């Protein structure tokens, strides 16, 4: 495995994006295209008793109204041992406000909207529970995470802290709305969708409509932001697909943002009760941590995963992690960037900071002193753990040594309170199998097809970096085909495993192509790049196929990949555990009278193994820090207790960070290949980039004011 750094290449898709040439799912046009709009439930729980479509059909341009009677029976519910079942289509039984109950299909978008507004269903409503603290909410315990004996160790701790932390309900809000365009022609169904898992979309539509998956193709060349919202199957996809099959014409649906709030997944409101104990030397010896979050009546998003990162942050040998779903009557929550660690590391790293202050220890030094090289959960070695290097380098760049330790002791000349905070984060580093085809033509073109989805994170650029570094080919005629079930077997891209899936297989393709060209030339010296060499020996093209699996996987994983399965290895591999790490250093300014919080500078240093694409990697970290600022100080979805819906379901009222909020973000990387993670030595980055930045902000606010903030978002009124 090479350890040489990769050059900083420009984004391969940047030019097309800035000039508006890139096509997203909603941009795809077809002759005879129809437009769809859903009709949604106005109650939070109950039954639809009547659905008249007459008024909608009288709207000029309306072609058809689909109702529950137009769809096959819903699939059976699934368990927690495998992927979730396909989402239901249209049902008379209402599980949450905003659930679709009908679909209007029309010649124009305006007619579809008018038709949907003309449908007035009647409902028999029932009592519902829409919040984690509502009457009727039901607690359901899940599996524990344990290491050692936390109860005994906590009882013997010399110093301990206990606190409860809370993170709010939050919604993804990518700029690209959920969009599906479906075409039924010649007995095949083609779906263009903004999806992080075209294989998941294919399987879910097949299941929902009782179709043979072999008849379905799904394409998602580009995604305008996903962040986990577009990873699992969307409810609207099968509705649009069935509408296309029934009408015999292409159908497109772009969900309004207000509807997306009510039907898509989101980050759930969660509560975290943590006890930390240290011995007389200041070593953390015990952690007891209970996490619970809001959950739909049938959702599968497990709260046990809040423990996956904290248990591997430090060398705490005794850990007891318990968790519970609080089941209520809203749609199911799901994966949102740094899904569990955003909330769990806010809680855990705030608690670590509280313990450091109680021990009168420097927060950076305290973290460094509690280092580990072993996964406490499994007892296996960590394949690489360079968190201390992140902390040391971050402290140096930030100027941590100039910090005045006492809370409230740093002020500007105008009285503005200044706080410096630190927090760390980690995230599982995983790897899916991949199959790739590389074809180089004498005409100057190169085509590389594999599994993956481009949602702005730069996976195409990372693949291109490997291909262009290893092969003498034309960069301007390199076509990287991903997110397409017709081009290669596809796996969901999420959880920071996209690059780990695509890049090692690209490197393997480079090696195989070099060998194939060498065999073709048979010792002859031919001038020019690979394209010219092929032309010289009169070979139109040369094509190879390669596959790659993660540690502990075999050909069974490739077989499951071909069938559209979910086949991710890690972070607990057979003989080791692999995690990515990061350290964030934050400066906040709090105005004396208005109490407005500003963040003029951040230093973030990441351990993500070998950095393949420096430019997009740095962009990932900056984006994660911006979002963490937004999550810590701005974002919260407001739930209407009266009707079970969302009050701020648009970008006018759902407050997010803007340019004026963000100061300088300095990004650095340890850039040391992980010797075990995969052949390229890389680890995941997209998720860990956000982890730990929110508690660093909260810890900085404590340093500035002496007030400990244990609930997000932190707002002006909390500091008055």
């Amino acid at each position: 495995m090479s350890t040489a750094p990769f050059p900083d290449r420009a984004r391969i898709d940047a030019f097309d994006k800035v000039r508006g040439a890139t096509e997203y799912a909603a941009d795809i046009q077809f002759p005879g295209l129809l437009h769809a709009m859903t009709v949604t439930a106005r109650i939070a729980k109950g039954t639809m008793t009547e659905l008249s479509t007459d008024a909608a059909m009288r709207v000029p341009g309306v072609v058809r109204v689909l109702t529950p009677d137009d769809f096959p029976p819903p699939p059976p519910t699934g368990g927690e041992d495998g992927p979730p079942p396909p989402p239901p289509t249209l049902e008379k039984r209402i599980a949450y406000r905003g659930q679709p109950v009908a679909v209007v299909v029309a010649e124009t978008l305006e007619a579809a909207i008018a038709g949907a507004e003309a449908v007035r269903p009647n409902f028999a409503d029932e009592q519902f529970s829409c919040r984690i603290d509502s009457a009727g909410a039901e607690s359901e315990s899940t599996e524990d995470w344990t290491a050692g004996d936390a109860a005994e160790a906590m009882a013997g701790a010399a110093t301990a802290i206990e606190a409860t932390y809370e993170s709010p309900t939050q919604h993804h809000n990518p700029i690209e709305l959920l969009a599906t365009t479906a075409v039924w022609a010649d007995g095949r169904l083609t779906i263009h969708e903004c999806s992080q898992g075209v294989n998941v979309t294919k399987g879910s539509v097949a299941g929902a409509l009782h179709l043979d998956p072999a008849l379905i193709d799904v394409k998602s060349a580009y995604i305008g932001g996903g962040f986990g919202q577009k990873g699992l199957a969307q409810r609207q996809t099968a509705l649009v697909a069935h509408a296309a099959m029934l009408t015999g014409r292409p159908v497109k649906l772009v969900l309004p943002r207000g509807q997306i709030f009510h039907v898509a997944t989101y980050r759930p409101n969660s509560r975290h009760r943590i006890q930390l104990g240290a011995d007389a030397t200041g070593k953390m010896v015990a952690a007891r941590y209970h996490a619970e979050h809001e959950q739909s009546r049938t959702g599968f998003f497990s709260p046990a995963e809040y423990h996956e990162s904290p248990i591997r942050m430090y060398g705490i040998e005794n850990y007891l992690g318990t968790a519970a779903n609080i089941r209520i009557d809203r749609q199911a929550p799901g994966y949102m960037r740094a899904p569990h660690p955003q909330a769990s590391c806010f809680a855990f790293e705030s608690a670590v900071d509280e313990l450091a202050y109680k021990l009168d220890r420097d927060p950076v030094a305290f973290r460094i002193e509690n280092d580990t090289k072993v996964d406490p959960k499994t007892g296996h070695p960590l394949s690489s753990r360079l968190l201390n290097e992140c902390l040391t380098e971050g402290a140096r760049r930030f100027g941590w040594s100039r910090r005045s330790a006492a809370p409230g002791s740093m002020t500007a000349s105008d009285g503005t309170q200044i706080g410096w905070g630190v927090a760390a984060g980690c995230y599982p580093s995983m790897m899916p199998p991949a199959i790739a085809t590389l074809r180089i033509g004498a005409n100057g073109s190169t085509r590389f097809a594999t599994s993956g989805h481009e949602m702005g994170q730069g996976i195409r650029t990372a693949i291109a970096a490997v291909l262009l570094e290893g092969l003498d080919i034309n960069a301007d005629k390199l076509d990287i085909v991903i997110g397409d079930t017709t081009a290669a077997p596809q796996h969901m891209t999420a959880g920071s495993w996209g690059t780990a899936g695509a890049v090692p297989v690209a490197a393997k393709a480079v090696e195989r192509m070099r060998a194939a060209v060498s065999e073709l030339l048979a010792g002859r010296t031919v001038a020019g790049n690979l394209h010219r060499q092929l032309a010289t020996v009169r070979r139109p093209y040369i094509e190879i196929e390669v596959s790659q699996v993660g540690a502990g996987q075999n050909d069974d994983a490739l077989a499951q990949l071909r069938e559209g399965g979910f086949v991710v290895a890690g972070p607990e591999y057979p003989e080791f555990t692999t995690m990515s790490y990061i350290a964030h250093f934050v400066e906040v300014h709090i105005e004396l009278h208005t109490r407005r919080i500003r963040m003029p500078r951040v230093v973030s240093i990441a351990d993500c193994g070998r950095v393949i694409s420096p430019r997009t990697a740095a962009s990932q970290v900056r984006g994660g820090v911006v979002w963490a600022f937004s999550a810590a100080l701005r974002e919260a979805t407001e739930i209407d207790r009266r009707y079970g819906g969302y009050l701020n379901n648009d970008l006018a009222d759902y407050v997010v960070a803007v340019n004026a909020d963000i100061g300088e973000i300095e990004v650095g990387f340890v850039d040391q290949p992980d010797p075990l993670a995969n052949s390229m030595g890389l680890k995941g980055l997209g998720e860990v980039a956000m982890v730990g930045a929110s508690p660093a902000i909260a810890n900085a606010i404590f340093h500035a004011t002496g007030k400990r903030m244990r609930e997000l978002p932190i707002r002006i009124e909390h500091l008055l």
Side-chain angles (χ1 to χ4, degrees):
M1 177 177 61
S2 172
T3 60
F6 273 79
D8 184 19
R9 296 182 182 272
R11 284 179 177 265
I12 192 172
D13 52 6
F15 183 64
D16 281 347
K17 284 186 173 180
V18 297
R19 65 191 182 94
T22 301
E23 281 194 333
Y24 297 87
D27 299 325
I28 309 297
Q29 297 296 320
F30 293 96
L33 180 70
L34 296 173
H35 297 264
M37 186 54 59
T38 56
V39 179
T40 60
R42 302 189 307 275
I43 64 170
K45 186 177 182 180
T47 304
M48 182 171 64
T49 57
E50 183 182 6
L51 178 64
S52 174
T53 62
D54 294 344
M57 292 302 300
R58 288 194 294 270
V59 174
V62 170
V63 173
R64 182 158 184 166
V65 180
L66 278 66
T67 73
D69 294 335
D70 291 304
F71 288 85
T77 57
E80 294 188 2
D81 295 333
T89 49
L90 298 179
E91 297 177 291
K92 295 179 181 179
R93 182 65 187 168
I94 306 304
Y96 55 86
R97 187 177 183 87
Q99 177 181 317
V101 296
V103 180
V104 176
V105 183
E107 297 286 352
T108 65
L109 176 60
E110 292 78 9
I113 294 172
E117 291 176 346
V119 177
R120 295 293 182 187
N122 291 325
F123 301 94
D125 60 341
E126 301 174 13
Q127 290 292 322
F128 62 88
S129 307
C130 66
R131 290 176 60 99
I132 199 170
D133 56 357
S134 296
E138 297 178 339
S139 179
E140 172 192 81
S141 297
T142 62
E143 66 272 24
D144 297 345
W145 284 57
T146 60
D149 189 335
E152 181 179 349
M154 186 64 70
T159 306
I161 64 99
E162 180 175 0
T164 298
Y165 308 86
E166 185 167 358
S167 287
T169 305
Q170 295 175 330
H171 276 72
H172 303 70
N173 281 305
I175 295 301
E176 181 193 30
L177 302 172
L178 294 181
T180 303
T181 302
V183 181
W184 175 255
D186 301 323
R188 294 196 65 81
L189 178 64
T190 302
I191 300 171
H192 298 267
E193 176 154 308
C194 49
S195 171
Q196 297 172 229
V198 291
N199 59 320
V200 177
T201 299
K202 178 174 180 170
S204 71
V205 171
L209 301 183
H210 302 178
L211 291 175
D212 182 349
L215 301 178
I216 304 173
D217 301 320
V218 184
K219 301 172 183 286
S220 181
Y222 290 92
I223 307 167
F227 316 118
Q229 183 187 75
K230 299 168 183 175
L232 299 178
Q234 301 294 336
R235 188 159 189 165
Q236 87 277 356
T237 314
L239 307 182
V240 179
H242 200 47
M245 295 173 67
L246 291 175
T247 61
R249 293 171 61 179
V251 178
K252 174 164 65 176
L253 170 62
V254 180
L255 278 186
R257 194 170 298 275
Q259 289 192 19
I260 292 173
F261 263 77
H262 288 81
V263 298
T265 57
Y266 58 92
R267 194 190 306 281
N269 176 206
S270 59
R271 295 171 176 171
H272 309 259
R273 185 174 68 251
I274 296 177
Q275 290 178 297
L276 284 180
D279 63 17
T281 69
K283 174 179 171 55
M284 287 188 281
V285 294
R288 298 181 69 175
Y289 177 179
H290 177 74
E292 59 186 31
H293 69 199
E294 59 187 2
Q295 177 64 273
S296 74
R297 297 294 180 182
T298 59
F300 68 95
F301 185 64
S302 175
E305 292 182 40
Y306 287 115
H307 301 296
E308 190 165 43
S309 289
I311 198 172
R312 291 163 174 139
M313 282 294 297
Y314 303 104
I316 304 176
E317 297 176 355
N318 303 283
Y319 185 104
L320 173 59
T322 58
N325 284 307
I326 308 299
R327 295 201 176 271
I328 57 175
D329 301 304
R330 296 211 322 270
Q331 86 269 29
Y335 298 94
M336 183 170 169
R337 191 177 192 179
H340 294 87
Q342 161 59 18
S344 67
C345 282
F346 162 66
F348 200 79
E349 280 294 281
S350 294
V352 168
D353 209 65
E354 294 200 42
L355 184 57
Y357 273 96
K358 190 169 184 177
L359 290 166
D360 196 25
R361 305 291 284 272
D362 177 84
V364 174
F366 182 63
R367 287 171 168 83
I368 289 174
E369 291 161 4
N370 280 277
D371 191 24
T372 184
K373 300 300 180 186
V374 175
D375 174 5
K377 180 174 183 285
T378 64
H380 291 158
L382 294 164
S383 59
S384 67
R385 175 195 161 88
L386 301 173
L387 176 57
N388 278 7
E389 286 79 355
C390 295
L391 288 162
T392 301
E393 176 63 11
R396 183 191 68 80
R397 294 195 192 190
F398 193 78
W400 188 261
S401 61
R402 302 193 305 272
R403 171 180 173 272
S404 174
S409 62
M410 296 176 65
T411 58
S413 58
D414 63 355
T416 295
Q417 293 175 301
I418 299 173
W420 287 8
V422 64
C426 71
Y427 195 88
S429 187
M430 298 170 280
M431 181 176 173
I435 299 170
T437 302
L438 175 61
R439 177 178 177 138
I440 299 177
N443 63 356
S445 66
T446 300
R447 183 180 188 270
F448 181 79
T450 192
S451 173
H453 299 79
E454 179 62 72
M455 43 203 167
Q457 84 278 36
I459 192 171
R460 274 192 174 86
T461 302
I463 293 170
V466 173
L467 297 176
L468 295 173
E469 189 72 7
L471 299 170
D472 189 5
I473 55 178
N474 296 333
D476 60 337
K477 291 187 177 181
L478 172 59
D479 183 23
I480 297 173
V481 184
I482 53 178
D484 187 338
T485 60
T486 68
Q490 296 294 310
H491 195 282
M492 181 197 305
T493 300
S496 285
W497 62 65
T499 302
V503 163
V505 79
K508 194 170 185 178
V510 166
E511 294 178 5
R512 186 72 56 83
M513 180 59 73
R514 285 175 171 174
V517 171
S518 177
E519 181 181 351
L520 174 67
L521 297 182
R524 292 172 289 178
T525 301
V526 180
N529 65 12
L530 290 179
H531 309 291
R532 185 167 294 277
Q533 290 173 15
L534 290 173
T536 300
V537 299
R538 299 181 181 277
R539 181 74 172 264
Y541 66 88
I542 188 168
E543 181 175 291
I544 57 94
E545 181 179 286
V546 295
S547 61
Q548 183 80 44
V549 297
Q553 291 184 326
N554 53 33
D555 288 347
D556 290 343
L558 296 175
Q560 292 180 60
L561 172 65
R562 288 188 176 95
E563 294 171 1
F566 182 82
V567 211
V568 175
E572 297 176 18
Y573 296 92
E575 298 179 354
F576 58 88
T577 299
T578 301
M579 306 289 288
S580 298
Y581 293 90
I582 196 165
H584 299 282
F585 293 79
V586 169
E587 178 176 324
V588 298
H589 289 186
I590 302 174
E591 295 177 1
L592 187 60
H593 300 295
T594 67
R595 311 308 285 157
R596 184 172 64 172
I597 304 167
R598 291 293 195 189
M599 187 178 71
R601 67 187 184 106
V602 179
V603 172
S604 300
I605 311 295
D607 164 28
C608 58
R610 191 180 187 194
V611 179
I612 306 299
S613 173
R615 185 168 306 192
T616 58
S619 178
Q620 284 277 49
V621 177
R622 291 190 185 95
V625 170
V626 170
W627 200 343
F629 176 96
S630 194
L633 303 179
R634 300 286 187 269
E635 295 184 44
T637 306
E638 305 294 340
I639 295 102
D640 188 339
R641 290 181 180 271
R642 302 167 301 169
Y643 305 113
Y646 302 108
L647 295 169
N648 55 339
N649 58 341
D650 54 54
L651 290 181
D653 298 311
Y654 185 89
V655 183
V656 298
V658 297
N659 285 349
D661 291 319
I662 308 302
E664 178 186 354
I665 302 173
E666 182 179 350
V667 177
F669 300 99
V670 177
D671 201 8
Q672 290 188 24
D674 187 298
L676 301 177
N678 48 66
S679 62
M680 294 297 287
L682 64 90
K683 300 192 290 186
L685 177 62
E687 311 273 9
V688 80
M690 185 177 181
V691 182
S694 289
I697 294 167
N699 294 339
I701 291 172
F702 171 76
H703 180 241
T705 65
K707 289 186 176 182
R708 184 62 70 177
M709 299 290 119
R710 300 188 180 98
E711 180 181 350
L712 299 183
I714 303 165
R715 290 176 169 159
I716 287 173
E717 56 266 31
H718 298 141
L719 298 176
L720 291 175

